[in-house]
Amino acid sequence: MKIINNISDMYEYSAKLKKRGHTAGFVPTMGALHDGHLSLVDRAALENKKVIVSIFVNPAQFGPGEDFDRYPRPVKKDLKMLKDTRKVDCVFTPDKDSMYPPGSATFVSLENEMTNVLCGASRPGHFKGVTTVVAELLNIVKPDRIYLGQKDAQQAIILSKMMRDMHFSTTPVICPIIREKDGLALSSRNAYLTPEQRDTAPVLYKSLQMAESMVELGERSAETLKKEIRRKIKEAGVEIDYVEAVDAATLAPVSAISGNVLIAAAIFVGKTRLIDNTIITI
Ligand code: PAF
């Protein structure tokens, strides 16, 4: 497994792959890897000759007062995990100054409502940071496919649109959410939870499962589903950031469950913000 930390070496590596006719699957990460990330690596290895993973904690996607400084950076452990999979050919670990050289002033952002709803409403500027860094990474790595988790559904939808709008030749592949046995979606931020908070956190998934069952039983009102999800989360004594039902392609709010609807929620368990979602297709 090759570790590359500068952009010109990464260009060279990608060019070599192209020259040899190898396809490349790319898994962008901010490190603190878990089985969710490894499931993306597995899928990338199935569909491509070579697998490239990036590890970069992107300052541009953290707002003031967010957890950029305390975001976990267990680099050695991450590299070992990736090596142990025997499926990763290259890890790209650029530093902040190469991704954002002094004086760099260009951002990539979606100029529509998609970045202002759901997580965008409580994290202004977050998705501008995400689209900018992923556009940079795609230009550097030039993969055939990029693997994104449905856990960050809004991110995956926004990035897919950015790639279409900007004519990137990379194809996005959105992979299922990986969960703990009790349903908690895997997230690097789960490491912040105290044992007590960890016991409470699965209420987020349980509330989404409840909504899925309600739809199966015939409920079609988005308002009713959101109200019931909120009720269940509040019962567990957890603070809600948002609970929304939106069109799974446009992220526009829906009032009735029909077509592909993304029901997404964010909660604060203590200070830790957790997100989860389900896509319901009728
Ligand atoms: O999902 C993440 O880990 C990040 O948002 C990403 C896509 C690696 C961009 O920094």
Side-chain angles (χ1 to χ4, degrees):
M1 188 176 83
K2 204 172 166 64
I3 298 166
I4 295 183
N5 48 37
N6 76 71
I7 292 175
S8 50
D9 289 352
M10 193 65 234
Y11 278 150
E12 213 177 288
Y13 182 88
S14 302
K16 258 191 211 150
L17 294 190
K18 289 263 155 347
K19 212 167 153 196
R20 291 180 186 156
H22 292 334
T23 54
F26 176 48
V27 180
T29 82
M30 297 206 300
L33 303 178
H34 49 65
D35 286 350
H37 296 108
L38 298 189
S39 74
L40 303 180
V41 167
D42 286 345
R43 178 81 177 267
L46 271 180
E47 298 177 351
N48 303 274
K49 177 85 180 159
K50 298 284 178 186
V51 175
I52 302 169
V53 176
S54 66
I55 300 179
F56 178 63
V57 184
N58 172 31
Q61 68 188 76
F62 291 80
E66 288 191 348
D67 55 345
F68 175 70
D69 288 333
R70 69 178 185 125
Y71 198 83
R73 290 164 172 85
V75 181
K76 265 196 188 155
K77 189 172 160 222
D78 286 347
L79 292 175
K80 181 172 177 345
M81 269 174 93
L82 293 174
K83 193 165 179 209
D84 288 350
T85 66
R86 296 168 175 273
K87 293 179 180 173
V88 178
D89 298 282
C90 172
V91 185
F92 179 47
T93 56
D95 63 14
K96 181 172 159 281
D97 277 355
S98 31
M99 295 302 282
Y100 300 103
S104 90
T106 304
F107 290 87
V108 177
S109 63
L110 262 67
E111 298 290 315
N112 69 7
E113 272 310 293
M114 291 172 85
T115 58
N116 297 329
V117 296
L118 310 176
C119 291
S122 35
R123 303 188 70 189
H126 167 69
F127 288 111
K128 184 176 173 182
V130 172
T131 41
T132 299
V133 79
V134 172
E136 288 190 61
L137 289 167
L138 291 176
N139 281 331
I140 298 163
V141 176
K142 300 186 186 72
D144 295 276
R145 298 180 188 83
I146 182 171
Y147 292 82
L148 303 165
Q150 193 204 308
K151 154 79 178 5
D152 297 295
Q154 183 177 17
Q155 165 173 283
I157 293 163
I158 286 173
L159 286 173
S160 303
K161 177 149 178 64
M162 184 269 287
M163 284 184 255
R164 274 197 311 278
D165 288 355
M166 300 298 289
H167 312 289
F168 279 96
S169 58
T170 304
T171 304
V173 181
I174 301 177
C175 303
I177 300 175
I178 306 296
R179 300 183 179 281
E180 301 280 7
K181 279 201 179 73
D182 59 8
L184 178 65
L186 296 194
S187 161
S188 306
R189 290 190 169 98
N190 291 350
Y192 298 150
L193 300 170
T194 64
E196 251 173 50
Q197 292 169 339
R198 174 61 190 81
D199 285 348
T200 311
V203 70
L204 180 53
Y205 179 54
K206 293 199 170 109
S207 70
L208 294 171
Q209 276 185 312
M210 178 197 65
E212 287 169 354
S213 309
M214 289 172 70
V215 174
E216 260 169 45
L217 293 172
E219 183 58 65
R220 294 291 179 270
S221 158
E223 207 41 60
T224 305
L225 294 172
K226 289 191 289 185
K227 203 169 111 203
E228 284 306 305
I229 294 171
R230 283 196 198 102
R231 189 188 52 71
K232 194 167 171 69
I233 295 172
K234 274 195 197 140
E235 252 173 30
V238 168
E239 193 194 325
I240 296 171
D241 181 7
Y242 68 78
V243 176
E244 295 295 348
V246 297
D247 182 282
T250 64
L251 301 179
V254 298
S255 55
I257 306 301
S258 136
N260 292 326
V261 176
L262 170 69
I263 301 185
I267 60 174
F268 287 99
V269 183
K271 283 196 178 131
T272 304
R273 188 173 177 280
L274 300 177
I275 58 172
D276 203 347
N277 67 79
T278 178
I279 295 180
I280 295 181
T281 302
I282 297 281

